[in-house]
Amino acid sequence: MRMGGISRTGGAYDTPGDVMQRKHGNSQLTPFGRGIAVGYIITAAAAAAGALVMLVLGADGGIAWLPALAAAAAGSFFCGRTAGKTRRREGLKTGAICGVMYIAPLILIGIFTGMAQGALLPVKLLLCLGFAMAGGVAGVNSPER
């Protein structure tokens, strides 16, 4: 039974709900979930690579913050980039939201385990936020798939 309307593509549609078609399974949080998943995978890989380099070179454990900071920066960049590429609008805002969602669990885990270092905590927060925002802009401006 036809309802007598025209869809966006110019054809007739069967139900009034067809006018507001959405991509199946994509919610407003999907870009952030994808971004955080990619960001944590990149962080884990970069941290493992940094630990391996430190092991091979026989570096002192006192500089372990350096590869950890680099891993967090790389992970937050790709977190923002993935979210920006998925969402395709408002790169700075998307990156900032994704950066906060990325770093908040890391800070909370550090506080609860007693591993959070007071001086490095705001640096890590600002660094991850900045890299995620830059990643959000890069993702929005990246070419289509």
Side-chain angles (χ1 to χ4, degrees), residues 32 72-85 89-103 125-141:
F32 303 112
S76 64
F77 177 81
F78 282 101
C79 173
R81 186 177 191 282
T82 303
K85 191 168 186 160
R89 65 180 188 275
E90 300 175 335
L92 278 176
K93 182 179 173 184
T94 300
I97 292 170
C98 201
V100 168
M101 292 173 70
Y102 170 85
I103 196 68
L125 175 68
L126 292 175
L127 185 75
C128 286
L129 192 60
F131 270 91
M133 289 168 64
V137 171
V140 167
N141 293 326

Side-chain angles (χ1 to χ4, degrees), residues 104-121:
L106 297 179
I107 289 175
L108 290 175
I109 290 171
I111 290 171
F112 287 135
T113 61
M115 303 290 285
Q117 299 163 347
L120 208 52
L121 206 57

Side-chain angles (χ1 to χ4, degrees), residues 28-45:
Q28 291 181 350
L29 295 178
T30 299
F32 303 112
R34 286 181 186 167
I36 290 170
V38 168
Y40 283 149
I41 290 170
I42 296 292
T43 300

Side-chain angles (χ1 to χ4, degrees), residues 16-75:
D18 287 342
V19 174
M20 298 297 292
Q21 290 181 3
R22 292 177 63 188
K23 291 181 182 177
H24 182 67
N26 285 345
S27 74
Q28 291 181 350
L29 295 178
T30 299
F32 303 112
R34 286 181 186 167
I36 290 170
V38 168
Y40 283 149
I41 290 170
I42 296 292
T43 300
L52 181 64
V53 167
M54 285 183 59
L55 180 68
V56 168
L57 296 178
D60 183 27
I63 63 165
W65 61 270
L66 187 61
L69 203 59

